[in-house]
Amino acid sequence: MRRKLAAGNWKMNGTLAGLDMLADVAAAMDSTAAEAVICPPAPYLLPAVTKAQGTPVGIGAQDCHAEPKGAFTGDISASMIKEVGATYVILGHSERRDAYGETDADVAAKAQAAWNAGLTAIICIGESEADRSAGTTLDVIAEQLAGSLPDGCTGENTVLAYEPIWAIGTGKIPTLDQIVEVHDFIRATLAERFGTDVSDALRLLYGGSVKPDNAAEIFKVDNVDGALIGGASLTPADFIPILQALSAA
């Protein structure tokens, strides 16, 4: 049975004081079956781990370098993330792919580094609005899956997040039928490459303008095992209702 997961991506937002929300999330998890992970900016990783210690809330980073160490000013390695006590890392987010030119091969190399360090990689894939309009969504998803996932993918070392780029931070969301189509396609593609045991174990998240008022409807969709949540993960008032909706789904 795949445990449902609500992962919060703070992006370049939040404050040290804002980490106090971890206590509220932990308290809410006493009555929920879903897993919760918060991914704050890198300077807040250690304080977040410290605040979350002894609670069921997981902490993750938003990126890592593919190399274990070296002359890479401004970057952090997967082993550094692991050493401070975080357990997850987001990789291949569309903002990284677009603004920093990250390729599928780059994402795959980072995923391998994350696995080597003992982290679980949350690997993001998704089509642009132009891809959706052109009817090439599934072709794009297939290409990203083939290029971004190294061999050795398992349900323990990887979570996949489908985030249609046109829905991120825009308030737009795909129809439920569109989410079903993509998530079913991802599951089938994973089964073809890795086998049904891996495919059945790997969690598939939906991401893109997930909010308390639409979460319950999204979580009814088959093959949606949770969400990668942006702005709504910054406050308990928004994040906890999403977590509760996921647990109830």
Side-chain angles (χ1 to χ4, degrees):
M1 179 67 70
R2 298 183 299 270
R3 187 182 181 193
K4 298 170 183 178
L5 171 64
N9 178 15
W10 281 17
K11 307 186 180 184
M12 199 172 71
N13 298 298
T15 63
L16 277 175
L19 292 174
D20 289 344
M21 66 97 70
L22 296 173
D24 297 318
V25 174
M29 291 178 70
D30 289 342
S31 58
T32 65
E35 181 180 2
V37 173
I38 296 295
C39 301
Y44 302 151
L45 274 176
L46 182 55
V49 168
T50 300
K51 284 184 176 290
Q53 191 168 14
T55 79
V57 181
I59 302 298
Q62 297 175 19
D63 188 38
C64 72
H65 200 281
E67 295 297 329
K69 61 181 179 180
F72 305 106
T73 301
D75 283 309
I76 56 175
S77 71
S79 60
M80 292 173 180
I81 295 166
K82 179 69 173 179
E83 187 175 14
V84 300
T87 52
Y88 284 82
V89 60
I90 298 170
L91 300 173
H93 193 281
S94 63
E95 292 160 1
R96 298 290 311 179
R97 292 177 185 262
D98 181 49
Y100 299 95
E102 290 189 3
T103 65
D104 291 335
D106 293 330
V107 177
K110 290 182 176 187
Q112 188 65 63
W115 298 349
N116 292 345
L119 298 174
T120 298
I122 301 175
I123 299 177
C124 303
I125 56 175
E127 83 282 5
S128 67
E129 192 163 18
D131 297 327
R132 171 60 68 176
S133 298
T136 59
T137 293
L138 298 186
D139 295 330
V140 171
I141 296 299
E143 182 178 350
Q144 290 177 336
L145 286 172
S148 301
L149 292 179
D151 293 335
C153 177
T154 71
E156 288 72 41
N157 64 24
T158 302
V159 174
L160 275 174
Y162 166 58
E163 290 199 307
I165 299 168
W166 49 274
I168 299 173
T170 64
K172 302 176 184 178
I173 63 168
T175 66
L176 295 184
D177 285 344
Q178 288 172 329
I179 296 174
V180 168
E181 179 186 39
V182 174
H183 278 243
D184 286 356
F185 176 78
I186 292 171
R187 187 78 68 194
T189 302
L190 292 171
E192 185 175 345
R193 178 177 172 189
F194 298 107
T196 55
D197 286 349
V198 170
S199 175
D200 289 347
L202 206 150
R203 291 178 287 182
L204 307 183
L205 311 184
Y206 169 77
S209 297
V210 178
K211 297 178 173 62
D213 60 359
N214 63 24
E217 195 70 17
I218 293 170
F219 296 150
K220 291 178 183 178
V221 174
D222 288 341
N223 282 324
V224 172
D225 301 312
L228 182 58
I229 305 149
S233 68
L234 286 161
T235 64
D238 288 329
F239 187 72
I240 289 174
I242 296 173
L243 180 65
Q244 291 170 333
L246 178 59
S247 183

